[in-house]
Amino acid sequence: MQTITLNSPFDMHLHLRDNEMLELVAPLSSSTFAGAIIMPNLVPPVDTKEAVLEYKDRILRAIGNDQFSPFMTLFFKPYSKEFLESVKDSISAIKLYPAGITTNSEGGVESIDTVALAPTLNAMSELNIPLCIHGETNGFVMDREKEFMSVYESLAIAFPKLKIIMEHITTKDAVRMLDKYDNLYATITLHHLLITLDDVAGGMLKPHLFCKPIAKRYEDREALQKVALEAHPKVMFGSDSAPHPKHAKENCGCAAGVFTSPIALQVLAEFFDKNNKIENLQKFISNNACKIYNMKPSSKIIVLEKKEFKVPSYYEKGDEKVVPIYANETIQWNIRNYNGK
Ligand code: DOR
Ligand code: ZN
């Protein structure tokens, strides 16, 4: 049987939430991934050192004995250099949300002005703290990421030593930026490699595929697929797995977010294999991230095998239920084991 062994797979953009949802979803990442960059958009947002440390503790409790490192982030605000120095060793990055652009981002930045934000961004640059950005304007939904490119450009030029991660890119415009500015990097999700707007809204409306940024055109997906499959050194896997309770998705006001973490590695293996690029998956899932974030891989090893697996219709714990991408469908790869388990 065909297999692939992955060393230390990392998810460089993950929402683990809190309370019962955290307890439900954290083990679904920690069983297969070696670590993840944890998003700070809780209510209230993670914006103090205490909040970072307490949230990390709750995550570690939720994953039990799994070998998994939560790499913590702060919710971007205008922070002082003294504060950043004090918190630097407890975080891996700071996440900037334009105000109101997505789930729990109301306390984000009203206007991304390089002059007004300079004290914080210069301090981050000096302290080597990467800046992760949700790059969307509040324009027409299909143009939001494209319109944000000028913001990325002005930040990349004004802060040339700041590592800027364009999170969950969805357009060919964002892909083009990677080769234009040394300090721009990107995460790519599983779902944006696989779907276009047609899958979300071209037939019956699919709430479980609705997310922000929304999936775009075929040519955009093709540009993402190309850099992922070649494991372009400036891209890394970030699932943006964003669980919402089943009732909040299957609702006339559907929450944005696709839940992918339990089957992300399996579906990535299938995608890379189908495209005859399985040898590049290790870089996309781990090596590139280690270089970009200056991280060391862990000793976690995952073996995947080409064997059919039926995706559950939902995962549940207590009163919480969450529906994964490809619920009830059969995927072609499965997890064999990790580190002997
Ligand atoms: O679809 C999304 N869901 N996009 C985001 O940026 C946030 C996420 C969430 O937290 O639900
Ligand atoms: Zn996200």
Side-chain angles (χ1 to χ4, degrees):
M1 185 178 299
Q2 197 183 339
T3 65
I4 175 161
T5 300
L6 296 177
N7 273 305
S8 191
F10 286 127
D11 181 347
M12 303 307 284
H13 182 133
L14 176 64
H15 297 269
L16 285 181
R17 313 300 193 204
D18 215 341
N19 306 313
E20 204 160 50
M21 184 62 97
L22 169 65
E23 283 169 29
L24 166 58
V25 300
L28 299 172
S29 281
S30 64
S31 60
T32 53
F33 284 92
I37 294 272
I38 310 298
M39 289 297 130
N41 61 333
L42 304 183
V43 184
V46 180
D47 60 1
T48 64
K49 185 170 175 181
E50 294 66 43
V52 166
L53 297 176
E54 287 167 15
Y55 188 32
K56 185 173 180 178
D57 269 356
R58 297 198 293 280
I59 294 169
L60 290 174
R61 254 181 277 132
I63 63 175
N65 293 325
D66 284 343
Q67 184 192 347
F68 177 86
S69 305
F71 302 116
M72 306 307 291
T73 62
L74 269 177
F75 190 95
F76 185 94
K77 296 213 167 139
Y79 294 115
S80 70
K81 187 164 184 198
E82 293 66 38
F83 170 73
L84 292 175
E85 271 165 351
S86 75
V87 76
K88 177 184 175 335
D89 293 339
S90 308
I91 58 169
S92 296
I94 297 182
K95 174 72 186 285
L96 186 155
Y97 290 94
I101 207 67
T102 189
T103 312
N104 304 338
S105 63
E106 291 70 23
V109 177
E110 291 291 344
S111 134
I112 303 179
D113 174 339
T114 51
V115 176
L117 301 182
T120 306
L121 296 180
N122 280 326
M124 287 174 63
S125 196
E126 283 161 31
L127 296 169
N128 262 319
I129 303 173
L131 175 68
C132 302
I133 303 186
H134 183 117
E136 288 194 285
T137 66
N138 58 7
F140 176 62
V141 69
M142 287 296 277
D143 295 335
R144 287 177 187 178
E145 184 172 289
K146 188 186 167 78
E147 287 174 2
F148 200 86
M149 291 303 123
S150 58
V151 181
Y152 280 133
E153 297 208 78
S154 53
L155 289 168
I157 292 167
F159 306 99
K161 295 256 151 54
L162 179 66
K163 238 171 217 181
I164 301 169
I165 324 284
M166 302 184 287
E167 294 295 335
H168 43 55
I169 58 170
T170 59
T171 56
K172 60 182 191 311
D173 309 275
V175 169
R176 246 186 255 124
M177 287 291 158
L178 290 168
D179 293 325
K180 202 165 168 197
Y181 295 98
D182 284 350
N183 55 335
L184 290 184
Y185 302 83
T187 54
I188 300 181
T189 73
L190 175 69
H191 45 288
H192 292 121
L193 286 174
L194 299 170
I195 66 172
T196 68
L197 186 61
D198 267 356
D199 296 290
V200 186
M204 301 276 269
L205 188 65
K206 298 282 172 32
H208 296 290
L209 299 180
F210 171 64
C211 64
K212 293 188 174 165
I214 197 140
K216 304 288 188 315
R217 297 176 171 80
Y218 288 87
E219 65 262 33
D220 293 307
R221 183 177 67 175
E222 206 175 302
L224 301 177
Q225 290 178 341
K226 180 171 180 296
V227 283
L229 288 167
E230 76 186 20
H232 186 298
K234 295 178 88 185
V235 307
M236 52 200 158
F237 177 64
S239 71
D240 197 16
S241 181
H244 290 276
K246 189 169 183 289
H247 62 81
K249 294 290 290 175
E250 296 171 4
N251 186 297
C252 63
C254 166
V258 184
F259 180 55
T260 55
S261 54
I263 56 160
L265 290 180
Q266 300 86 317
V267 179
L268 279 174
E270 180 173 338
F271 172 69
F272 275 69
D273 179 40
K274 269 196 185 139
N275 286 283
N276 297 315
K277 285 284 186 288
I278 195 102
E279 70 279 7
N280 287 344
L281 182 53
Q282 176 62 37
K283 286 188 196 147
F284 181 61
I285 202 72
S286 185
N287 303 15
N288 290 357
C290 288
K291 285 192 191 132
I292 295 168
Y293 272 87
N294 283 323
M295 304 182 330
K296 287 204 175 46
S298 83
S299 57
K300 189 156 176 172
I301 293 185
I302 300 285
V303 181
L304 294 127
E305 59 190 9
K306 195 169 186 174
K307 185 177 175 192
E308 289 189 348
F309 172 73
K310 184 160 183 251
V311 181
S313 45
Y314 54 81
Y315 294 85
E316 76 180 317
K317 179 160 182 133
D319 293 336
E320 211 64 282
K321 264 191 193 163
V322 61
V323 178
I325 191 170
Y326 298 142
N328 297 315
E329 291 180 38
T330 299
I331 57 175
Q332 300 305 314
W333 282 73
N334 200 357
I335 304 284
R336 176 181 283 179
N337 58 10
Y338 63 99
N339 291 10
K341 289 194 192 173

